[in-house]
Amino acid sequence: MTDDKNPTHTPKDAHYAKLRRAHRDRARGGPAPAADSRKKPPSRPAKPGPADRVRLYGLHTVEAALANPERRLHKLFATRNALNRLELDEAALPCPLELVEPRFLDSELGTDAVHQGVMLEADPLRARRLSDLGQSDLILVLDQVTDPHNVGALLRSAVAFGAGAVVTTSRHSPQESGVLAKSASGALELIPYVQITNLADALGEIAELGFQTIGLDSEGEGELEPSFAGERIALVLGSEGKGLRQKTRETVSVLARLEMPGAIRSLNVSNAAAVALYAARRFMGAKRAG
């Protein structure tokens, strides 16, 4: 029987007592609880790849690169499962294939890379110029947007809304890489990624090609939609933290803001670009319909 004055302690009681002691220790600046032995092991960085090549990974990224006639391919590494998911005919592949285990790709690409069982070694795409804009009526221009994840998302949105190019500076902008291509989810193969030396000069050249250059700025005097004019539009977006540089603000045709009635007054650059691209396409569609 259990004495009411001295009840028997159960394992559950001991567990909660341990938690209470740990809480008191933390409050007093004492020892923290022991680390969980099942804690995820530290991440390993990627190994350096062959010189003058890029390593592309992820199902959509590799599938798009394999289908791009402008991409010079060297070797495909894939697990059997990934090869089946890509639905590729091994006999018709445009480059040599090596079947591997997932741990091989982890060791080559680093444990943080979401490779989905596939990696492609290829040459970087050829450098593109403003002359490659062709008859594009809508482009994105980036003023030192440095995060490859953001630039990849921008490329994806640009393709989704039918933009003709993404223009950025050759310095303070990501070069072609596996991270950039994975974030773009295949879009890097579908749109010119134009890197220029001087952004102010490039904006002048873009304006001479008939583009209205609109800088997105939270302090812009007018809202974006009423600012649209003309047949060709270049949306100019600034870096993640500082926004547009002063020289860029002075060079664009107009500064405009995205009107946001909510408590948060700014968006991630890739989200802001998607909203602006949608608004520009709506304007162009209405103008053609009218």
Side-chain angles (χ1 to χ4, degrees):
M1 293 179 62
T2 301
D3 185 345
D4 290 339
K5 294 182 180 179
N6 297 287
T8 301
H9 291 285
T10 67
K12 188 174 182 180
D13 295 327
H15 172 72
Y16 286 121
K18 184 178 180 181
L19 289 178
R20 287 194 295 272
R21 286 195 300 272
H23 179 74
R24 286 196 299 270
D25 284 339
R26 285 195 296 270
R28 296 169 183 167
D36 188 342
S37 60
R38 296 169 298 178
K39 186 177 179 181
K40 184 180 177 182
S43 60
R44 295 193 306 272
K47 292 181 181 178
D52 302 323
R53 294 185 188 177
V54 292
R55 284 179 153 180
L56 308 174
Y57 55 86
L59 293 171
H60 293 304
T61 303
V62 169
E63 184 177 32
L66 289 171
N68 184 1
E70 295 189 11
R71 177 75 80 171
R72 185 183 176 193
L73 313 174
H74 291 282
K75 192 170 185 178
L76 176 66
F77 300 83
T79 64
R80 174 59 66 185
N81 180 57
L83 204 61
N84 291 337
R85 292 176 67 186
L86 287 169
E87 299 181 349
L88 295 173
D89 180 0
E90 292 182 43
L93 286 173
C95 65
L97 165 69
E98 181 176 337
L99 290 173
V100 297
E101 295 296 322
R103 61 178 176 271
F104 169 81
L105 298 176
D106 289 341
S107 68
E108 293 296 312
L109 294 170
T111 50
D112 291 336
V114 185
H115 53 68
Q116 300 176 292
V118 63
M119 175 180 76
L120 177 65
E121 288 186 351
D123 283 357
L125 292 167
R126 70 175 179 86
R128 308 299 287 266
R129 296 176 171 79
L130 292 178
S131 57
D132 292 314
L133 296 182
Q135 299 303 310
S136 303
D137 59 358
L138 178 62
I139 62 172
L140 279 182
V141 181
L142 310 181
D143 185 6
Q144 296 190 351
V145 178
T146 58
D147 188 334
H149 297 92
N150 276 338
V151 175
L154 286 157
L155 287 161
R156 188 173 182 179
S157 293
V159 171
F161 288 103
V166 173
V167 180
T168 187
T169 52
S170 53
R171 294 183 61 195
H172 306 294
S173 298
Q175 302 300 309
E176 184 179 343
S177 68
V179 174
L180 175 65
K182 179 66 167 62
S183 300
S185 193
L188 187 61
E189 312 297 326
L190 301 173
I191 187 171
Y193 183 52
V194 181
Q195 293 188 299
I196 46 83
T197 303
N198 185 294
L199 184 58
D201 291 346
L203 286 171
E205 187 175 341
I206 289 169
E208 289 176 2
L209 292 172
F211 285 89
Q212 179 197 25
T213 55
I214 303 177
L216 267 69
D217 190 288
S218 60
E219 304 300 322
E221 292 184 5
E223 295 181 28
L224 178 62
E225 290 90 334
S227 301
F228 291 135
E231 303 293 332
R232 310 179 88 183
I233 294 173
L235 298 167
V236 188
L237 295 97
S239 65
E240 295 88 347
K242 298 179 181 179
L244 297 174
R245 291 176 293 167
Q246 184 61 34
K247 182 65 173 178
T248 306
R249 292 163 60 90
E250 295 169 355
T251 306
V252 295
S253 307
V254 62
L255 288 171
R257 68 180 187 276
L258 292 176
E259 188 64 21
M260 288 173 282
I264 295 177
R265 308 296 294 174
S266 63
L267 293 173
N268 171 280
V269 63
S270 62
N271 293 331
V275 173
L277 286 164
Y278 174 79
R281 274 287 167 231
R282 293 266 296 180
F283 165 78
M284 290 175 167
K287 190 169 184 178
R288 292 192 185 101

